[in-house]
Amino acid sequence: MRDDLGGLYQDVILDHGRRPRNFREPPDANRRAEGYNPLCGDKLTLYLKVEGDRVVDAAFKGSGCAISTASASILTETVKGKTRREVEELFEKFHQLVTGKRVDSSEDLGKLEVFSGVSEYPVRVKCAALAWHTLRGALENAPEPVTTE
Ligand code: ZN
């Protein structure tokens, strides 16, 4: 499984996969959602603290492959301090990035760029996108678990 991924596992993904940031359950979170990717077995719970229109804290717990863990880790770092609208825009750009349908390739998406290689591995797109779908569920306070299927 690992060997055929080649350049996909870049240092940043490996680092975040091994030592995920914001891997905790914040006691003051006021939004949460669960996400599940049955294709790979990735499971995570995303916690948000939303004040007004802004995400002031983001964290997650769960277990999954390096890509899903790294994606959740980088997501929590990325969305902190952003408004709902900014998060929605990022979601769109991230989705374009991992599906290889990027509209503006000159735009720098920061750490999210490490997932650009995922577009070459369709089965991995859901791993990378799981945290983002779950994030959307948390923002909408989805009562049902979010699944990538
Ligand atoms: Zn996975």
Side-chain angles (χ1 to χ4, degrees):
M1 188 59 137
R2 303 232 154 183
D3 291 335
D4 64 345
L5 290 167
L8 177 58
Y9 278 86
Q10 296 175 38
D11 290 348
V12 178
I13 293 182
L14 275 177
D15 177 42
H16 279 264
R18 280 191 196 127
R19 297 183 301 115
R21 319 302 197 270
N22 302 306
F23 194 82
R24 57 192 161 84
E25 185 177 341
D28 57 348
N30 52 14
R31 305 287 176 92
R32 57 168 279 172
E34 286 170 21
Y36 178 47
N37 172 19
L39 218 61
C40 178
D42 310 314
K43 258 183 188 166
L44 60 89
T45 305
L46 196 75
Y47 305 93
L48 298 177
K49 187 183 179 189
V50 179
E51 276 177 7
D53 200 35
R54 198 172 290 274
V55 176
V56 293
D57 195 14
F60 79 105
K61 293 204 95 170
S63 63
C65 66
I67 290 180
S68 68
T69 303
S71 181
S73 172
I74 291 172
L75 173 148
T76 55
E77 283 191 328
T78 306
V79 301
K80 222 182 276 188
K82 294 210 161 36
T83 64
R84 272 186 81 135
R85 222 194 61 168
E86 288 167 339
V87 169
E88 275 296 322
E89 284 171 9
L90 266 180
F91 179 95
E92 282 303 319
K93 286 170 188 167
F94 183 79
H95 203 257
Q96 288 170 8
L97 181 77
V98 296
T99 53
K101 292 176 185 144
R102 203 166 182 180
V103 176
D104 181 5
S105 56
S106 65
E107 190 180 21
D108 183 9
L109 294 179
K111 270 190 189 161
L112 299 179
E113 297 282 349
V114 301
F115 294 101
S116 58
V118 170
S119 63
E120 290 166 40
Y121 305 87
V123 75
R124 290 305 196 181
V125 171
K126 287 180 176 174
C127 300
L130 175 65
W132 287 85
H133 286 291
T134 311
L135 170 73
R136 197 179 245 177
L139 283 173
E140 290 165 0
N141 248 340
E144 300 293 325
V146 178
T147 159
T148 52
E149 290 304 298

